[in-house]
Amino acid sequence: MKTSIRTWIFAAAWAVTLPAFGQISDDVVRLGVINDQSGPFSALSGPGSALAVNMAVEDMRSQLGAIKVEVVVADHQNKPDIGLTIVKRWFDVDKVDAVLDIANSAVALGVQSLIKEKNKIAMYGPIGTTDLTGKQCAKTGFSWQHDSYALVSGPVRALTQSGLDTWYFVAADFAFGKNMVQEAKALVAANGGKTVGETYHPMNTSDYSSFLLQAQASDAKVVMFANGGAQLVNSIKQWKEFGMQDGAQRPVAALLTLSDVHAASLAVAQGLSATTAWYWDLNDDSRAFARRFFERFKAMPTESQASMYSAATHYLKAVVATQTDATDPVASHMRSTPVNDMYAKNAVLRADGKLMHDFLLITVKSPAESKEPWDYYRVDGVVAAKDAFAPESASDCPLINGAGSASK
């Protein structure tokens, strides 16, 4: 459909009356936010991620001076062909300098190939596949939020070592779900546990009964849901409808977001365990950002939306520091400068493109535990970056210990 590749300009130029910098191509820095704007993952990132990027531009206004910034937004509908058509046009025709979010593993892998070909920058939000920073890594491709390993490493270690050592997986039948299960199964085995089964559901199903009944029949101590957004919400709602919240099996979400809990309600999601990259109520800095975001979006930001604020800010700081939007100097500055903001503290970009930041182990509160709206998580612990991500020595990224490695 023609409307599927339409682009919206959200942020206009700043300080347009001042002289433009000669090193800024077309006198404008253009950022493209592409994700699921209206489908099952739109609450996870969607319009909220676009708002977060625009907030970053606004907050950088005093530092940008005469540098103009535009933000364009598009919906890939979770279809790689649509997503790549948009991004290719952005690079070739619309002169977009960097893309953000993407929020779909299959689309992200295609974009990664494009940025290598076109020498552009991509900053990825909720992308699960470990191939993105593994065998398909790029010197200008940065994973800002998580990958499948980081999402499952904390819960798998903690639960398996506590005696919850048999696992069953209910997963989405596409790249994200399959990669998540692959990483989780390896970690379960490495920590002395056992996988007793797995089942994959179609992308757009609304009936999870057969998959849940298989999980129940497995007698696994832990059932991990390797899906997200509306898929996870519907899975958990039906989990409760089938009486599976009796405590016999521990539910774990491989990818849980604040918006999922809000959609499901605390009464349904209570007790669900997960790992998250960020939580709005963690500290004064996160709360300050979240309240500004809420004023405009009427919902607290998810970790994905917060990550895109951080990524856009870091990119624009590099543009200011280098006085150009040329890919190589901007990417080099991004790699050499730690990230310190409300999203991550003392985080660095590893050679494979991973932003090395800490994660939180959380459990969804019960309605009685929640003290105010959006007070959804109990933080049970912190997983240090070095433990959350797979070690660099295990990576198959050609940039590690090879020509062009940023770690040298």
Side-chain angles (χ1 to χ4, degrees):
M1 297 173 61
K2 291 182 179 179
T3 55
S4 68
I5 60 173
R6 185 173 58 190
T7 297
W8 298 268
I9 296 179
F10 268 47
W14 299 117
V16 295
T17 59
L18 297 178
F21 282 79
Q23 296 301 312
I24 302 298
S25 59
D26 304 312
D27 295 328
V28 179
V29 176
R30 291 187 178 88
L31 302 178
V33 179
I34 183 167
N35 55 31
D36 178 352
Q37 286 281 305
S38 57
F41 301 108
S42 57
L44 164 64
S45 55
S49 286
L51 171 60
V53 171
N54 276 280
M55 288 176 65
V57 176
E58 293 166 8
D59 291 348
M60 284 291 295
R61 182 175 185 178
S62 62
Q63 296 181 51
L64 287 166
I67 301 175
K68 308 172 191 177
V69 179
E70 289 180 357
V71 178
V72 296
V73 182
D75 185 350
H76 57 42
Q77 301 180 31
N78 295 301
K79 297 177 180 179
D81 56 338
I82 291 176
L84 297 184
T85 297
I86 293 169
V87 175
K88 190 174 188 300
R89 190 194 66 209
W90 276 355
F91 290 158
D92 292 344
V93 178
D94 300 328
K95 308 303 180 185
V96 167
D97 299 292
V99 294
L100 295 98
D101 204 11
I102 292 86
N104 178 289
S105 290
V107 178
L109 291 173
V111 169
Q112 192 83 322
S113 295
L114 274 180
I115 65 169
K116 292 177 184 179
E117 176 188 344
K118 306 292 184 180
N119 194 31
K120 298 287 188 175
I121 289 173
M123 292 158 279
Y124 301 100
I127 302 299
T129 177
T130 51
D131 284 347
L132 190 72
T133 52
K135 59 187 178 182
Q136 296 195 37
C137 67
K139 66 178 182 180
T140 59
F142 306 124
S143 177
W144 224 261
Q145 186 177 339
H146 61 226
D147 62 17
S148 296
Y149 185 100
L151 287 173
V152 301
S153 61
V156 167
R157 287 194 189 100
L159 295 177
T160 302
Q161 293 173 10
S162 72
L164 299 175
D165 54 2
T166 54
W167 291 65
Y168 190 93
F169 298 94
V170 176
D173 192 13
F174 66 111
F176 167 81
K178 292 177 180 178
N179 185 250
M180 188 74 71
V181 172
Q182 175 186 339
E183 296 293 341
K185 287 171 64 175
L187 282 161
V188 167
N191 284 274
K194 181 181 179 181
T195 297
V196 297
E198 61 200 78
T199 186
Y200 295 89
H201 62 75
M203 177 80 169
N204 296 316
T205 189
S206 59
D207 182 3
Y208 296 86
S209 57
S210 64
F211 311 108
L212 294 175
L213 291 174
Q214 290 178 64
Q216 186 179 46
S218 73
D219 290 326
K221 297 176 183 177
V222 180
V223 176
M224 174 174 273
F225 294 94
N227 52 18
Q231 299 170 343
L232 175 64
V233 171
N234 288 330
S235 298
I236 294 300
K237 284 182 177 179
Q238 291 175 37
W239 170 276
K240 185 177 182 180
E241 290 171 3
F242 294 153
M244 296 173 70
Q245 283 190 325
D246 59 3
Q249 292 176 303
R250 179 74 171 268
V252 175
L255 174 60
L256 179 68
T257 74
L258 200 70
S259 57
D260 296 335
V261 178
H262 189 72
S265 79
L266 288 179
V268 172
Q270 62 181 313
L272 192 60
S273 298
T275 298
T276 184
W278 183 84
Y279 179 45
W280 76 266
D281 200 19
L282 184 64
N283 54 46
D284 289 343
D285 288 345
S286 60
R287 284 187 285 271
F289 169 77
R291 285 169 182 145
R292 288 198 297 128
F293 184 95
F294 184 86
E295 287 177 2
R296 297 167 66 169
F297 201 65
K298 306 310 177 187
M300 286 299 183
T302 66
E303 62 274 24
S304 300
Q305 292 154 355
S307 76
M308 289 300 95
Y309 175 91
S310 172
T313 299
H314 195 65
Y315 173 86
L316 292 174
K317 285 181 177 179
V319 170
V320 171
T322 60
Q323 294 293 287
T324 183
D325 59 356
T327 294
D328 292 343
V330 170
S332 178
H333 191 276
M334 290 176 69
R335 284 185 174 275
S336 65
T337 307
V339 175
N340 275 296
D341 55 28
M342 60 81 204
Y343 174 75
K345 303 297 183 186
N346 299 314
V348 296
L349 284 163
R350 203 165 72 175
D352 54 8
K354 287 183 173 70
L355 181 67
M356 301 297 291
H357 60 86
D358 297 344
F359 283 78
L360 305 172
L361 286 173
I362 60 95
T363 302
V364 177
K365 291 181 176 181
S366 68
E369 291 177 291
S370 179
K371 304 304 181 185
E372 61 177 314
W374 299 94
D375 174 25
Y376 292 161
Y377 293 168
R378 182 181 74 241
V379 178
D380 298 324
V382 176
V383 183
K386 65 180 180 60
D387 298 320
F389 290 100
E392 195 174 54
S393 59
S395 176
D396 54 0
C397 169
L399 295 176
I400 293 180
N401 297 321
S405 173
S407 62
K408 289 187 175 182

